[in-house]
Amino acid sequence: MSSDSLSSRFASRRWYTCTPVAFKGDHTFFCRDTGLFCRSFRKLGMESKAVMPLPGYDVDYRDEMLRTEYRNLESADWWRSLNIDGVLLYSWGAPRYTKIARAIHDAGVKLVVFMDFNGDFSEWWTWRHVVRQPWAATVGAKGWNALPAFFRGVWRHSVHDMMVDVMRSRHLRYADVVVMGNPFCRSEFERLSWVYGSEIGRKGILLPCPVDEKFAYDGTEKEYRVISIGRWDDDYQKRPKVLMRVLEELVQRDRAIVVDLFGQMTDAVEAWHAGLPADERSRILLHGVVRNEELLPAYRRAMVSFCCSSYESAHIVSVEAICCGASIVTSGRKGLASLHWYASEESGTISKEDTPESMVEALLEELQAWKSGQRDPARISRVWTERMHAVGFLPRLLEQVEALS
């Protein structure tokens, strides 16, 4: 069945989205995740609102939202009163939101749980995870005074992590469909069917986090540029110290490259930048935080999007970049499985080691692939927009919901 036929088939349906966190319902919310899903449902001619708990905010797009008391989200009667066909719930499978999943299920409403999860499960049943990792991080690194921390680590890596999986499996059993954002996540769920039940393979489907249709390549001539975007005040996840080391070595070794750096800057990043030699400083441009629309021209002219995070789920920035014809460079860390997928089809390079030196080599290798004609921005954009634009894949999702439920 064609996409147009599928769209018209579901045009009269009423599908809402739900985020159980009181985010601001402004343009930043509606350009991604449940906000974007909500708007994409509406573009298909369906009735849709984004459900979130109170409080509301002055910046909320109220005609596209439904704010309510949190306790209503855990009430089957409340969900039943909406008279809707289905809910796409961004709950990450988190045990603390199980009552919401159960309420939607008990109301007789179709439920799609969107995991937005990289598939990096705890291996609480292995010696390496339960004992070796806590030992290395505590006694091995700090001596015998860290023995109490070692025992706490053993408890967390065994009993705690096991209970998280058990409670997450209970949450997911209420779903008609479980959306998994990358192939690794799906394969890991299937591998852990002894925890999550055999039905996880039947109800689990592979779909990425969506991006708006405006993120597409428009033929803009690619420039010899790298783009990197992040919250650079997040030392643990975004790793700005690693970023600075990588970019400094990159501009030293490649005298032509220009780097566009976007996101929340810190005093440390700005001081590092100010201390660079003039030539290197002129080729690393600090843009700060900008509106989503202002990133479009930067994506379209960049050859490479670089991510040095310690972990990511979907990493929407990378999705937006590849839809605009840029390729991906990142580390080979297990927690970056989504980015490894994005780089898998002649659309990027994964560094062999999780070190600044290896990441620089990966960037230089990827830039050489562009210079030698091995990268085609139009093809990269075409391959990934077909997968990542929500209006295109939502009808197929709804068809699978009907088939599986």
Side-chain angles (χ1 to χ4, degrees), residues 27 31-32 214-215 290-296 320:
H27 68 94
C31 72
R32 58 185 57 187
K214 67 173 175 281
F215 291 102
V290 302
R291 288 180 63 90
N292 202 248
E293 293 79 3
E294 296 177 55
L295 292 173
L296 260 177
E320 293 171 347

Side-chain angles (χ1 to χ4, degrees), residues 285-303:
L285 309 179
L286 306 187
H287 299 280
V289 178
V290 302
R291 288 180 63 90
N292 202 248
E293 293 79 3
E294 296 177 55
L295 292 173
L296 260 177
Y299 284 137
R300 286 171 175 165
R301 67 173 178 259
M303 290 182 175

Side-chain angles (χ1 to χ4, degrees), residues 63-80:
D63 60 335
E64 300 183 63
M65 300 181 64
L66 176 58
R67 294 273 191 187
T68 187
E69 297 288 346
Y70 188 91
R71 65 175 179 272
N72 286 334
L73 302 182
E74 298 179 344
S75 166
D77 289 339
W78 185 82
W79 285 107
R80 195 177 296 115

Side-chain angles (χ1 to χ4, degrees), residues 224 303 364-375:
Y224 199 57
M303 290 182 175
L364 293 171
E365 179 182 340
E366 183 62 22
L367 289 166
Q368 181 58 41
W370 278 93
K371 288 192 285 188
S372 60
Q374 299 175 50
R375 298 290 183 260

Side-chain angles (χ1 to χ4, degrees), residues 207-272:
L207 284 175
C209 281
V211 295
D212 193 277
E213 303 96 274
K214 67 173 175 281
F215 291 102
Y217 184 59
D218 64 351
T220 297
E221 184 177 356
K222 286 293 183 180
E223 301 176 17
Y224 199 57
R225 306 178 84 98
V226 170
I227 186 172
S228 192
I229 304 171
R231 303 183 310 275
W232 305 118
D233 55 348
D234 186 339
D235 286 331
Y236 179 72
Q237 182 183 1
K238 303 303 181 180
R239 302 201 293 180
K241 293 178 182 177
V242 173
L243 176 86
M244 290 184 280
R245 287 182 60 187
V246 170
L247 296 187
E248 186 167 351
E249 183 175 343
L250 177 66
V251 296
Q252 287 172 355
R253 294 180 59 180
D254 188 328
R255 311 304 294 186
I257 192 64
V258 175
V259 179
D260 292 297
L261 194 59
F262 291 89
Q264 182 64 52
M265 303 299 170
T266 64
D267 292 342
V269 172
E270 292 178 347
W272 160 78

Side-chain angles (χ1 to χ4, degrees), residues 351-365:
S351 70
K352 295 179 176 61
E353 298 176 8
D354 184 39
T355 64
E357 295 77 16
S358 184
M359 291 183 211
V360 172
E361 293 299 331
L363 281 164
L364 293 171
E365 179 182 340

Side-chain angles (χ1 to χ4, degrees), residues 78-373:
W78 185 82
W79 285 107
R80 195 177 296 115
S81 72
L82 298 180
N83 192 29
I84 57 179
D85 297 295
V87 175
L88 192 152
L89 173 65
Y90 254 61
S91 64
W92 311 277
R96 63 184 176 276
Y97 302 130
T98 297
K99 289 182 180 179
I100 299 176
R102 182 174 61 200
I104 296 170
H105 173 271
D106 290 352
V109 177
K110 302 291 185 187
L111 174 60
V112 173
V113 171
F114 203 103
M115 286 297 296
D116 193 18
F117 175 54
N118 60 24
D120 188 9
F121 286 93
S122 163
E123 295 188 346
W124 44 264
W125 58 90
T126 67
W127 169 266
R128 177 186 62 83
H129 182 80
V130 173
V131 177
R132 286 184 60 189
Q133 288 184 3
W135 181 271
T138 57
V139 176
K142 303 172 184 177
W144 288 104
N145 288 337
L147 192 61
F150 164 70
F151 288 118
R152 289 194 297 271
V154 168
W155 179 86
R156 188 185 189 286
H157 282 65
S158 55
V159 177
H160 172 273
D161 287 359
M162 177 185 68
M163 291 307 299
V164 168
D165 273 336
V166 169
M167 291 187 290
R168 183 191 286 138
S169 69
R170 186 179 305 161
H171 180 126
L172 297 181
R173 287 191 178 111
Y174 291 114
D176 295 286
V177 166
V178 179
V179 174
M180 302 163 187
N182 65 67
F184 177 70
C185 180
R186 183 174 184 177
S187 66
E188 285 295 278
F189 266 113
E190 292 174 349
R191 183 173 70 88
L192 296 175
S193 61
W194 59 278
V195 177
Y196 285 90
S198 58
E199 65 178 5
I200 195 68
R202 178 186 67 85
K203 67 170 61 173
I205 63 174
L206 172 63
L207 284 175
C209 281
V211 295
D212 193 277
E213 303 96 274
K214 67 173 175 281
F215 291 102
Y217 184 59
D218 64 351
T220 297
E221 184 177 356
K222 286 293 183 180
E223 301 176 17
Y224 199 57
R225 306 178 84 98
V226 170
I227 186 172
S228 192
I229 304 171
R231 303 183 310 275
W232 305 118
D233 55 348
D234 186 339
D235 286 331
Y236 179 72
Q237 182 183 1
K238 303 303 181 180
R239 302 201 293 180
K241 293 178 182 177
V242 173
L243 176 86
M244 290 184 280
R245 287 182 60 187
V246 170
L247 296 187
E248 186 167 351
E249 183 175 343
L250 177 66
V251 296
Q252 287 172 355
R253 294 180 59 180
D254 188 328
R255 311 304 294 186
I257 192 64
V258 175
V259 179
D260 292 297
L261 194 59
F262 291 89
Q264 182 64 52
M265 303 299 170
T266 64
D267 292 342
V269 172
E270 292 178 347
W272 160 78
H273 185 259
L276 293 172
D279 173 66
E280 296 171 18
R281 186 170 64 250
S282 69
R283 290 184 289 117
I284 300 177
L285 309 179
L286 306 187
H287 299 280
V289 178
V290 302
R291 288 180 63 90
N292 202 248
E293 293 79 3
E294 296 177 55
L295 292 173
L296 260 177
Y299 284 137
R300 286 171 175 165
R301 67 173 178 259
M303 290 182 175
V304 176
S305 174
F306 173 60
C307 172
C308 62
S309 297
S310 57
Y311 65 91
E312 294 286 353
S313 50
H315 200 235
I316 295 297
V317 164
S318 290
V319 180
E320 293 171 347
I322 53 173
C323 285
C324 291
S327 59
I328 303 298
V329 171
T330 192
S331 152
R333 291 174 69 100
K334 184 180 178 182
L336 298 170
S338 290
L339 283 89
H340 302 164
W341 180 36
Y342 307 154
S344 65
E345 299 186 25
E346 296 183 354
S347 49
T349 299
I350 309 302
S351 70
K352 295 179 176 61
E353 298 176 8
D354 184 39
T355 64
E357 295 77 16
S358 184
M359 291 183 211
V360 172
E361 293 299 331
L363 281 164
L364 293 171
E365 179 182 340
E366 183 62 22
L367 289 166
Q368 181 58 41
W370 278 93
K371 288 192 285 188
S372 60

